[in-house]
Amino acid sequence: KGFSDLSSNYHHFRVDPFEPNRVWFSVKFIGSNTGPIMGRPATGKSVESPVQAHSVTFNEQGEITKLTIGYVLDKETGNTGGLGGVFGLLYGIGYGLPFPEAQPYKPSPIYGTLMQGNQVLQNLFKANPSAKKAILGFVTSIGK
């Protein structure tokens, strides 16, 4: 009822090369909150999740023994704050749950600073490919 038009968009099915009894696949949820959720009214908001990896593991008889869901592949896509599964759907419509795991990821100040430095380097490399070649040449020569 809550997401009457929800489309799972399953794709990219593949057998795990390290665990042949496991099949991985990707999912990208797209839909709108058209009905009540957990006793709360519909918001009418549309949700687009990031692509998520799921897997199914089978035993010798072909029975499912494990299902994993919601491993977000790129938390910067979609409109769910980088959250997967039901946490993402609820957050995307404004009904995020009140505990840390159901909230968008926030990097620590140190990690955030390192990521900003990385972005500066990436922008420099895009604007000046010769700088990239020179810096990578220098870094790879260290210790030779």
Side-chain angles (χ1 to χ4, degrees), residues 40-137:
R40 298 172 93 176
T43 64
K45 292 181 179 179
S46 294
V47 174
E48 180 181 336
S49 76
V51 174
Q52 302 165 59
H54 296 210
S55 77
V56 179
T57 304
F58 300 90
N59 64 16
E60 299 290 326
Q61 293 75 39
E63 301 166 326
I64 294 173
T65 59
K66 182 165 86 171
L67 171 68
T68 62
I69 62 169
Y71 294 103
V72 171
L73 300 179
D74 183 353
K75 62 184 174 280
E76 295 177 358
T77 61
N79 66 350
T80 64
L83 297 168
V86 71
F87 294 164
L89 293 175
L90 293 173
Y91 183 83
I93 63 169
Y95 291 160
L97 299 174
F99 49 88
E101 294 82 2
Q103 299 299 311
Y105 169 76
K106 292 183 183 174
S108 68
I110 292 172
Y111 185 74
T113 301
L114 290 171
M115 292 307 293
Q116 288 175 343
N118 179 57
Q119 190 61 55
V120 168
L121 280 175
Q122 295 303 317
N123 290 339
L124 171 70
F125 291 164
K126 285 179 187 174
N128 189 349
S130 62
K132 178 179 181 178
K133 185 175 180 180
I135 291 171
L136 291 178

Side-chain angles (χ1 to χ4, degrees), residues 15-40:
V15 175
D16 189 316
F18 305 103
E19 295 179 63
N21 62 328
R22 188 176 204 175
V23 175
W24 288 93
F25 56 99
S26 300
V27 175
K28 182 177 184 69
F29 296 110
I30 298 173
S32 301
N33 177 219
T34 56
I37 294 278
M38 301 183 310
R40 298 172 93 176

